[in-house]
Amino acid sequence: MRKNYIYLVLAFILSISMFGQKVTLTPTLVNGAGFDGSSINLGGTPYSSISLGVKVEMPTIPGNNGTLTIYVVSGLNPSVAIGGSSVPLFFGEGKTASQSFIININWNSISELGGQIYAEYKTSSNVAYKSGYIKVTKNPTMNNSGANPPADAPNPTKIPNTLCCNQTVRLGDKPAPITGSQYLNPYQDQSYGINSSWASNGNTSVRFLNLDNVNKILYIDYVTEPGNFTITRSLGYNYSYDKPNKSNSVTITLVPSPITSNTILVYAEPNSDGFIEHININPIDVSGGQNKVKVNLDILDDPFHTYSRLDRFTDVERFEWEYAKTNKALGGSLKWITIPNENSSTLNYFKPTEISDAEDNYYLLRRISIYKDIKSCSNLLKVLVRTIGYNNTICCDQVVKILSSTSFETPDTIIGSTPIIDNTDITGKNFMINDISYQWQVQSIGTQSNSTATWSNILGATSKNYLPSQKFTIRSSGRTGMVFIFDESYKYRRISKINYINIDKSTYGSVSSYSNEVSLYGSTYEDGTKIYPNPTSSLLNIESRDISLYQINIVNIKGETVNTPITIINSDLVSLDVSNLKTGTYFITMQRSSSYGIIQKPFIKN
């Protein structure tokens, strides 16, 4: 019996090691169009371009010696996709890593029955883990087969194909544009037109910004990881699987940057995908540490200078902030947008303008430190903006009064609205809701350590409303020992899922949304900010110490600012006329200055 028990334990451990891994392959674009989520359809395009994102999750930290490869299967034999060659996958100190690819598939390489693609992660010990298979289909015939190109069509193998020029770049800066030799391409949109394929080798952090096909110029983004790399260009026909004409290699040599410690961060724990979450009505503050960003003048004079205590330093001249909309898998090209009027080391009250009504909006955020003609790009922050929808709101923030070192008042129930289907992109207008399900989530925040946990489901909290039941531990705060707070404060939100029938279309469907967030903390003192009457149809009063010194905004559930006239009654009381606002839920946001936190209070307009 003991022997059988040992076998069972070993089998359990083996099952964890075998099945804890996960490789997820997510196409994002197929020939410039969004992926529909079913199969990759090449249509009749002779040479298709597919943007992919791959995420690898491992049960333990795997190290950084594994590789990731994209395969195409047509018939029985898989082959490495063009653009899908093995690349190192960097996990850092985590258990999850992501990589983007742009692969090409030749129409002729896929059989009439179709094919498949998949991603494979192979560890340093040659243990392979595969993603699920994604089907590849095509039209019965190819557009302009290109079998007999016109006599005046350029032969790609005879085109002069050179790139210019080798260069030295400081780490964190952008390489100069890479210029390719010109060539005629009179049939560029047909199958026997000339197609170019650019590639980098030697540094996995290299990202192409865009390609100017008219002038044959490649633009490269900031290079943020050390390591020299090369750029090459290959030429061939559009319909051809191969690109036989290989250019010379341009070598980019990276040297140390004189700009030091260009790191940005948000004091919040990222989710399992590495994104910092916040709701669209709540901006985020990004810390940068201006005093730590310096310019080493000795490295400026000599990039290979060895640091010493006697080195000379000065401040950077200014900062720029940029963001780009992306997707969960970080696939596809990025369009970086400069945030206007943001030139300090920190970024306060960041709210991207390109917020869609979709549930999730993914962004990358970075800071550019500038000294004279030298730039240095920071690390990338991944930001996930969730949008409130379908009237999914909850109320309200609470300050639980602590009576002594061992007792406190009971928290109030958090009240949730009844979600509705309104102002959506769903086709049709005649909806009937079958049922609504709820899941409440909590996020703990250490009041002493200021550490923020990830959002997690609350077991059994599936009702419309929720009475907080987390563990509340009291500790003293202040020199007198007579002021008390909770050791941890909490934030709450509600996920609503609406199952409906579209009577116009006789179809069933479901939509989900995240609510706003409300906070709960404990204090010896009562909440010093009051708004009343709530609900209101005309005037809304805000009472708080020195409230007249605060910047006050009214924000709707879409995150839009809809301010109304404010009347200052006295230094501690202001009144807002909200009579012209539409009926619904709104949020008052109050902030005295960038060094103060944001106070947020919901109210209902009748």
Side-chain angles (χ1 to χ4, degrees):
M1 181 69 182
R2 176 181 174 85
K3 186 176 181 180
N4 291 338
Y5 175 78
I6 293 173
Y7 286 156
L8 287 173
V9 171
L10 290 175
F12 175 71
I13 294 173
L14 181 62
S15 68
I16 292 176
S17 64
M18 290 179 62
F19 301 108
Q21 301 81 8
K22 183 178 180 182
V23 181
T24 305
L25 176 64
T26 306
T28 55
L29 294 173
V30 178
N31 291 325
F35 179 62
D36 64 7
S38 55
S39 63
I40 294 174
N41 186 358
L42 307 181
T45 304
Y47 202 76
S48 293
S49 174
I50 297 98
S51 297
L52 308 166
V54 184
K55 184 174 76 171
V56 178
E57 303 170 76
M58 303 291 282
T60 57
I61 298 175
N64 293 311
N65 296 318
T67 57
L68 192 61
T69 309
I70 307 297
Y71 288 93
V72 177
V73 182
S74 184
L76 297 178
N77 298 319
S79 59
V80 178
I82 296 178
S85 299
S86 299
V87 298
L89 190 62
F90 290 93
F91 287 81
E93 297 301 322
K95 301 178 183 179
T96 303
S98 299
Q99 180 68 40
S100 299
F101 291 87
I102 298 179
I103 66 170
N104 294 290
I105 299 180
N106 185 350
W107 187 93
N108 285 321
S109 68
I110 301 297
S111 72
E112 295 180 1
L113 299 177
Q116 297 170 315
I117 65 169
Y118 67 91
E120 179 184 270
Y121 173 67
K122 184 175 290 187
T123 68
S124 57
S125 57
N126 286 326
V127 179
Y129 303 99
K130 296 181 181 179
S131 72
Y133 290 82
I134 296 177
K135 188 175 181 181
V136 179
T137 61
K138 67 177 185 179
N139 289 352
T141 58
M142 181 173 64
N143 302 333
N144 298 321
S145 66
N148 297 300
D152 61 344
N155 185 336
T157 63
K158 297 181 180 181
I159 295 174
N161 184 15
T162 59
L163 302 182
C164 183
C165 296
N166 296 340
Q167 54 183 291
T168 299
V169 179
R170 297 181 188 271
L171 179 64
D173 212 338
K174 283 182 181 179
I178 307 298
T179 303
S181 55
Q182 296 285 324
Y183 55 85
L184 296 176
N185 196 8
Y187 300 99
Q188 61 180 349
D189 295 327
Q190 300 183 46
S191 59
Y192 38 79
I194 303 301
N195 182 282
S196 67
S197 175
W198 297 69
S200 67
N201 184 47
N203 188 322
T204 57
S205 72
V206 175
R207 292 186 70 109
F208 295 164
L209 281 178
N210 63 284
L211 173 64
D212 181 351
N213 267 316
V214 175
N215 297 301
K216 311 299 187 288
I217 298 175
L218 176 70
Y219 295 88
I220 303 174
D221 204 356
Y222 296 98
V223 184
T224 57
E225 297 293 336
N228 301 338
F229 60 96
T230 59
I231 301 294
T232 56
R233 180 179 70 175
S234 302
L235 302 178
Y237 283 131
N238 286 330
Y239 72 85
S240 174
Y241 187 78
D242 296 320
K243 296 289 179 286
N245 189 342
K246 310 294 183 182
S247 74
N248 61 301
S249 294
V250 167
T251 299
I252 313 296
T253 303
L254 290 181
V255 297
S257 173
I259 300 177
T260 64
S261 304
N262 190 17
T263 303
I264 59 175
L265 58 93
V266 173
Y267 292 104
E269 189 75 17
N271 63 19
S272 59
D273 296 310
F275 285 84
I276 304 295
E277 293 187 42
H278 72 104
I279 206 71
N280 64 320
I281 61 172
N282 291 344
I284 62 172
D285 292 330
V286 183
S287 176
Q290 184 172 11
N291 295 332
K292 296 181 179 179
V293 186
K294 297 291 184 180
V295 180
N296 187 316
L297 298 177
D298 292 283
I299 294 179
L300 179 64
D301 295 336
D302 177 11
F304 301 102
H305 166 77
T306 301
Y307 168 79
S308 74
R309 296 181 181 179
L310 301 178
D311 283 0
R312 300 163 297 141
F313 289 89
T314 188
D315 294 329
V316 296
E317 295 176 341
R318 70 183 192 279
F319 300 92
E320 292 179 355
W321 291 85
E322 298 178 337
Y323 71 92
K325 195 161 188 178
T326 181
N327 53 60
K328 185 176 181 180
L330 302 183
S333 60
L334 297 174
K335 177 184 177 183
W336 288 98
I337 300 171
T338 300
I339 303 175
N341 305 317
E342 291 291 349
N343 304 113
S344 64
S345 63
T346 59
L347 181 64
N348 298 309
Y349 214 78
F350 169 66
K351 285 176 62 175
T353 56
E354 298 181 353
I355 294 289
S356 72
D357 290 335
E359 176 184 322
D360 297 331
N361 297 264
Y362 294 91
Y363 293 88
L364 296 179
L365 181 66
R366 67 188 185 186
R367 179 184 67 183
I368 313 301
S369 299
I370 303 172
Y371 179 76
K372 298 188 182 302
D373 60 344
I374 299 173
K375 295 184 177 182
S376 177
C377 181
S378 72
N379 57 302
L380 297 182
L381 284 183
K382 301 195 297 186
V383 180
L384 167 56
V385 183
R386 297 197 183 276
T387 304
I388 300 174
Y390 311 107
N391 194 43
N392 182 23
T393 58
I394 59 176
C395 186
C396 295
D397 292 344
Q398 296 186 50
V399 179
V400 176
K401 186 172 179 58
I402 300 178
L403 305 175
S404 68
S405 61
T406 58
S407 64
F408 54 88
E409 293 182 348
T410 302
D412 294 329
T413 297
I414 303 174
I415 305 300
S417 63
T418 300
I420 59 175
I421 298 181
D422 188 22
N423 298 326
T424 73
D425 295 328
I426 305 172
T427 303
K429 297 181 179 180
N430 195 4
F431 295 97
M432 182 175 71
I433 295 177
N434 288 341
D435 62 84
I436 303 174
S437 59
Y438 304 102
Q439 176 62 62
W440 288 81
Q441 294 187 327
V442 65
Q443 181 186 59
S444 63
I445 303 170
T447 55
Q448 189 170 18
S449 63
N450 199 33
S451 60
T452 303
T454 56
W455 287 97
S456 59
N457 290 341
I458 303 173
L459 185 64
T462 56
S463 300
K464 179 182 175 184
N465 305 320
Y466 175 67
L467 176 63
S469 59
Q470 283 65 43
K471 180 181 179 181
F472 300 103
T473 303
I474 300 172
R475 69 175 179 88
S476 61
S477 175
R479 295 180 180 178
T480 63
M482 299 302 293
V483 177
F484 301 102
I485 61 174
F486 286 152
D487 193 50
E488 284 186 306
S489 60
Y490 296 92
K491 283 188 176 181
Y492 300 91
R493 68 185 183 189
R494 185 184 70 175
I495 304 174
S496 296
K497 181 179 180 180
I498 308 172
N499 295 308
Y500 66 87
I501 179 172
N502 186 342
I503 299 176
D504 294 338
K505 304 291 183 179
S506 297
T507 57
Y508 294 87
S510 65
V511 290
S512 298
S513 71
Y514 286 76
S515 73
N516 58 300
E517 301 163 5
V518 300
S519 62
L520 183 152
Y521 64 94
S523 175
T524 304
Y525 304 105
E526 295 182 352
D527 189 357
T529 302
K530 298 180 176 62
I531 64 171
Y532 58 89
N534 188 12
T536 182
S537 58
S538 55
L539 294 179
L540 182 71
N541 297 312
I542 306 175
E543 185 177 348
S544 185
R545 183 178 179 181
D546 295 329
I547 188 62
S548 61
L549 302 178
Y550 282 67
Q551 173 66 42
I552 300 175
N553 291 304
I554 301 176
V555 180
N556 64 19
I557 62 174
K558 290 187 176 182
E560 301 166 336
T561 301
V562 288
N563 288 342
T564 62
I566 298 177
T567 301
I568 299 176
I569 308 300
N570 56 54
S571 62
D572 300 333
L573 178 64
V574 298
S575 179
L576 285 72
D577 183 0
V578 298
S579 57
N580 290 328
L581 295 180
K582 296 179 180 179
T583 300
T585 302
Y586 295 86
F587 301 88
I588 297 288
T589 62
M590 297 166 280
Q591 187 174 34
R592 184 165 178 173
S593 69
S594 60
S595 60
Y596 285 73
I598 296 174
I599 301 172
Q600 186 181 93
K601 299 287 183 180
F603 74 94
I604 297 173
K605 166 61 170 57
N606 285 337

